[in-house]
Amino acid sequence: MTDERRGVYPFCAPCTAASEAWRTAELTGPMGGRFYGHHDVCENCGSSVRTLYNTVLWVPVSKAGRYRIIPTGGRSYVARRVVDEPVAAVVRREPVAVAHPELDATPEYRLAEACWAESEPGQALPHYQAALAEREQVLAADDPATLRVRLRVAQGLLATANYGRAIAWFELITPQLVAVFGPHHELTRAATEAVTGARLMVGGPRSEALLLTDIVAADIDRLAATDRQLVRDRAALGKALLACGDISDAVEALIQVVRDAVPGHPDTAVYRAALTEACEVAEARGKKRDVQLAGAARQLLSRADAPTSR
């Protein structure tokens, strides 16, 4: 592979540097989106820049952004959002945790780091998971120190081909990484690029939804309804269904997530935001049942006793 090709597969390095990872949704139907144009073709990776328009009754009504597109056969493609000028990051707080050196000195964390350094993600993963459990007893789930280990757990799942659970982790932690470190921090970019790679391996929103459906079914058979893994996997399923255009199923899944989430926990803010996004899609593009479900979801989100972030 040449230097020009050392980007994020299948995009070359220059095209990767000028764009950011983007979740590809299914853009069919009268109320959706459609790409127009075909210019700035890259000689290295063959991608081209196209403009995404929101459509109503198949008529383009507004621009939704510019993307680098590589067709992968039929109507399928991979895409990255073109970044014209990086926006200055506005982070929620300084990305520096209160020092907890005793956590970095724990046996589980040291073993995990040693295995990871030796390129043994399968051996590192259970130690990272154990180290994460220790950290979350002391630090908040969205503490900068905790987020670094959460990211490593997600990367470990991806490296061991556990794509569905990796996607679920990345869906949860990426908004937290953005809030704490900013959208252009190396950790945030690592997460967004990794989840793009996971989705490429899975094969698109429909395949992702099918995979996560099986994972959630397995979770339900052995976990309590409020178990964090089940809630996390179901949230990822909801977002995958939304990307497929299955709006009612997405809203229903995310309603269940918000009902089962822990009140006051940092993760709950991510789930509430996902449900809010699904409501907005339902109200803008959905059918009558979708809009009704969105109304029920809005009531859940507005209730005084609904799970909410601190």
Side-chain angles (χ1 to χ4, degrees), residues 15-308:
C15 289
T16 297
S19 60
E20 61 185 8
W22 175 64
R23 183 192 184 97
T24 303
E26 293 188 358
L27 302 174
T28 58
M31 307 289 285
R34 184 174 179 180
F35 287 107
Y36 289 87
H38 176 70
H39 58 90
D40 293 344
V41 179
C42 177
E43 296 180 356
N44 299 310
C45 62
S47 66
S48 63
V49 174
R50 305 185 187 186
T51 301
L52 177 63
Y53 281 82
N54 294 315
T55 60
V56 176
L57 298 177
W58 293 281
V59 176
V61 295
S62 63
K63 290 183 180 180
R66 297 190 306 136
Y67 298 82
R68 279 214 162 266
I69 303 293
I70 296 180
T72 55
R75 294 184 176 180
S76 62
Y77 60 91
V78 290
R80 293 177 62 83
R81 188 191 302 271
V82 174
V83 177
D84 296 315
E85 294 182 8
V87 179
V90 178
V91 298
R92 174 166 51 81
R93 61 174 181 242
E94 287 296 320
V96 178
V98 176
H100 288 278
E102 70 279 6
L103 294 176
D104 290 333
T106 57
E108 293 290 357
Y109 187 77
R110 289 202 308 271
L111 277 171
E113 289 286 270
C115 293
W116 192 266
E118 294 294 325
S119 299
E120 295 289 349
Q123 296 179 28
L125 180 58
H127 297 301
Y128 275 126
Q129 290 170 324
L132 178 60
E134 292 183 47
R135 285 178 184 267
E136 290 189 333
Q137 292 177 2
V138 180
L139 306 174
D142 60 347
D143 183 275
T146 309
L147 282 173
R148 291 175 185 274
V149 186
R150 283 185 149 203
L151 174 60
R152 197 64 94 193
V153 168
Q155 291 172 324
L157 289 166
L158 176 58
T160 53
N162 200 332
Y163 301 122
R165 295 205 194 280
I167 289 171
W169 262 115
F170 285 123
E171 286 280 13
L172 173 60
I173 65 174
T174 300
Q176 296 173 338
L177 289 166
V178 171
V180 173
F181 296 104
H184 303 295
H185 190 276
E186 60 179 341
L187 296 181
T188 309
R189 290 185 64 86
T192 55
E193 300 297 356
V195 73
T196 300
R199 292 192 174 109
L200 284 173
M201 296 301 296
V202 169
R206 188 64 59 181
S207 298
E208 181 183 334
L210 291 173
L211 174 61
L212 286 164
T213 297
D214 291 340
I215 289 174
V216 169
D219 288 343
I220 291 172
D221 286 341
R222 63 188 185 85
L223 300 175
T226 57
D227 188 275
R228 291 185 183 180
Q229 178 175 299
L230 172 55
V231 174
R232 182 171 60 245
D233 293 341
R234 182 175 272 142
L237 172 59
K239 295 201 73 172
L241 290 168
L242 189 64
C244 293
D246 298 337
I247 299 175
S248 293
D249 292 341
V251 174
E252 287 180 335
L254 291 169
I255 285 175
Q256 188 64 49
V257 167
V258 171
R259 284 175 175 164
D260 294 336
V262 178
H265 194 278
D267 293 349
T268 305
V270 178
Y271 301 143
R272 290 171 60 86
L275 179 55
T276 299
E277 177 189 357
C279 289
E280 291 171 353
V281 173
E283 291 159 353
R285 303 179 181 178
K287 299 178 181 178
K288 182 178 180 180
R289 181 170 182 271
D290 302 328
V291 176
Q292 291 173 340
L293 278 171
R298 295 282 191 190
Q299 290 180 1
L300 172 64
L301 291 169
S302 64
R303 282 207 326 254
D305 61 342
T308 182

